Structures are given as structure tokens and as C-alpha cells.
Amino acid sequence: MTLIKITEKNPEILITLTKTNVLQMITSHDYLIYENQVPDKDIDQLADEVTEQAIAFAQAKFLRKLDFKHPGIDVSFEFIPIQVEHRGQGVVEKERIPVQNQLASDHLMEFREGDYFKLRMINHSRRKAYVCMLDIQPDNIINAMIPYGNRTPEEYFVPAQAAVELDDIFVVGKPYGLESLKLIATEEPIDLSRLVTSRGTKQGNNTQETPLETLLKSTYQYNKNKQRGSQTASIPPAAGSITTQIFRIVPREK
């Protein structure tokens, strides 16, 4: 599948130059993803920045739609909204907030900036499953949410037909808009965090890539090779299963 294609018919990103010499990149849904004054010099740098934004948009769109199911792996997850108590430089759970309190009128989970939550993983299958999670922000920045901190991929597993509540506490921050969490369940532990952090650089000392690592790595290849129409890799269903939840981030009321 082609990651980026230049077209004049129904573009998903429109690049315009205002009368004040400001270059803007606007999505087909009128979301401003880039804005910068056109410099007298460093046009090549500006072109690189625009290319980077287009890549980020295309990569995030591809990953948001990514979905596959392993016939023997079925893991879902739930939000646990909480209030916290600050202790030293960290926070601990103080009390839980009913999930219904976080539902907007359209039944979408809605968090305000500064809210906290935990996650519960539910394994519906008859085999143990390892989990990792990608976070796709409204501004198309992709983060590896699980494994979290210094914990290893091997620590994130859910026994067969069981539920596990993670100890990790997550805080909600900007940008505002719709955010996507993609839970990836596999038979063997994988760690996509180094690939995300290094933007596609080969991770660790392990020379054997999993299909998921190859797929994620391929979405960065356009950026590294500067070739229009770079291709993304395909992935076999046996690689694992993906579960996606979308939630909304809004400003905290003053």
C-alpha cells in the first residue's frame, strides 16, 4: 500500500500559502497540522518539515486503521478513571471514578487535561497473551504506551481467560481532540517502544524481527529514503490481534 501520494483530486492534506507568507497544512477535516512563516533562506529545511508532517499524517492514518485478528488470541481492555494523591515525585491511586462519569453525550470516553486513568486487560482466549500498546495522538504523534517506563515486554502478559489490572498510572495531556489506543496482543512478548523512539531504527541486539516490528518499521521508510510512494509491509493474521479504543481529550474547565 502506498503511504504518500501527491494528488490534485480530493487531497487529504491541503498545503497553502497565505497572503502574509505563512505556509499551512490543513487536513480535509479542517484540522491545522502545520503552520510556519516561509523563510527567506533554509527553504530545504522548510521542505523537510512539510515532508515530515505529511509522513506523520500518513503513518498515523495507516496505524489508526490497522486491524487484524488472530483466531486464537482475543484480548480487550477497559479504562479505570481514578483520582490520585501526590507523593514525592509520583502519584498513587486515591479513589476510583465511575466509568459512566467519563462518557460524553455521544457515548465516547472523554477525559479532561490532567485526568488520570489505569487500564484493565481481559483475555478471552484459551492461551496466555502478551500485550503492548500504541498511542496515536490527535496531532499524529505516535507513542509506545506499553511497555511503560523501565518495565520489560515480558512483564505485560495476561493469563488465559483472566483479567489483569495494570499498576501503571497514566495522565491525560494535550493536544485536544480524538486519541486512539491500539492494544496489540501476541503469543510472544514484543517491544515496539524502541522502534517508535528511534523512528524505525533496528532495535536491540535481536536480528530476528517479528512481522509487527517489520510493519511498523516500514511506515518510517519513506522518511529515511525520501522516496515518494514508499510501500508499507503486509502482515499475516497469525502475528496477533489488535483492539482499538478512541477517546476524546478536552480542556479542563476553569
Side-chain angles (χ1 to χ4, degrees):
M1 186 189 74
T2 301
L3 192 62
I4 296 176
K5 180 180 179 181
I6 298 177
T7 180
E8 295 182 358
K9 184 178 181 181
N10 300 322
E12 293 185 89
I13 300 177
L14 183 64
I15 301 176
T16 62
L17 187 64
T18 69
K19 294 180 179 179
T20 55
N21 219 32
V22 173
L23 189 143
Q24 296 179 329
M25 298 177 68
I26 305 172
T27 71
S28 57
H29 295 93
D30 295 326
Y31 188 82
L32 180 67
I33 61 174
Y34 179 82
E35 184 176 52
N36 199 2
Q37 185 76 35
V38 175
D40 295 330
K41 301 179 180 179
D42 296 325
I43 296 299
D44 289 341
Q45 180 180 346
L46 179 65
D48 284 343
E49 291 178 4
V50 170
T51 302
E52 290 285 341
Q53 290 295 326
I55 292 165
F57 176 86
Q59 182 191 37
K61 179 187 174 184
F62 173 75
L63 292 177
R64 282 190 183 100
K65 292 184 176 181
L66 185 64
D67 184 40
F68 49 85
K69 298 293 181 184
H70 186 293
I73 301 178
D74 182 11
V75 181
S76 61
F77 69 98
E78 299 173 347
F79 290 97
I80 306 175
I82 62 172
Q83 290 185 352
V84 301
E85 178 180 307
H86 292 266
R87 291 185 184 176
Q89 295 183 346
V91 295
V92 296
E93 180 182 340
K94 182 179 179 181
E95 62 179 298
R96 302 201 164 183
I97 301 171
V99 173
Q100 292 79 2
N101 291 10
Q102 304 294 147
L103 293 178
S105 57
D106 57 1
H107 304 290
L108 197 66
M109 288 288 293
E110 187 171 277
F111 290 99
R112 292 178 176 82
E113 181 185 4
D115 283 349
Y116 291 85
F117 66 85
K118 298 172 73 175
L119 294 170
R120 179 186 294 111
M121 308 292 171
I122 306 100
N123 188 352
H124 309 277
S125 45
R126 297 180 178 273
R127 64 181 73 179
K128 178 172 73 174
Y130 291 88
V131 295
C132 64
M133 181 174 283
L134 294 178
D135 167 43
I136 308 173
Q137 296 181 181
D139 59 359
N140 301 316
I141 291 177
I142 299 167
N143 305 297
M145 192 165 169
I146 295 174
Y148 183 72
N150 295 322
R151 298 182 65 181
T152 66
E154 289 77 12
E155 295 179 67
Y156 288 90
F157 70 90
V158 189
Q161 297 185 321
V164 171
E165 183 179 305
L166 302 185
D167 295 330
D168 307 317
I169 295 177
F170 304 97
V171 62
V172 178
K174 294 179 181 178
Y176 307 131
L178 296 180
E179 190 144 341
S180 298
L181 296 186
K182 301 193 82 73
L183 176 70
I184 304 166
T186 55
E187 294 183 281
E188 300 293 334
I190 60 171
D191 185 1
L192 302 178
S193 60
R194 290 175 185 168
L195 272 176
V196 172
T197 302
S198 64
R199 296 187 60 79
T201 301
K202 183 71 181 78
Q203 61 173 353
N205 297 320
N206 179 18
T207 57
Q208 186 68 32
E209 285 185 346
T210 68
L212 276 168
E213 290 169 337
T214 301
L215 175 68
L216 183 59
K217 188 176 180 180
S218 73
T219 64
Y220 290 103
Q221 294 306 306
Y222 183 103
N223 181 34
K224 295 166 66 177
N225 298 332
K226 302 297 182 184
Q227 294 177 352
R228 184 188 309 172
S230 180
Q231 302 291 310
T232 55
S234 59
I235 186 165
S241 295
I242 284 185
T243 300
T244 304
Q245 287 206 46
I246 299 172
F247 64 96
R248 184 183 294 111
I249 301 175
V250 298
R252 181 163 294 279
E253 296 177 357
K254 297 181 180 180

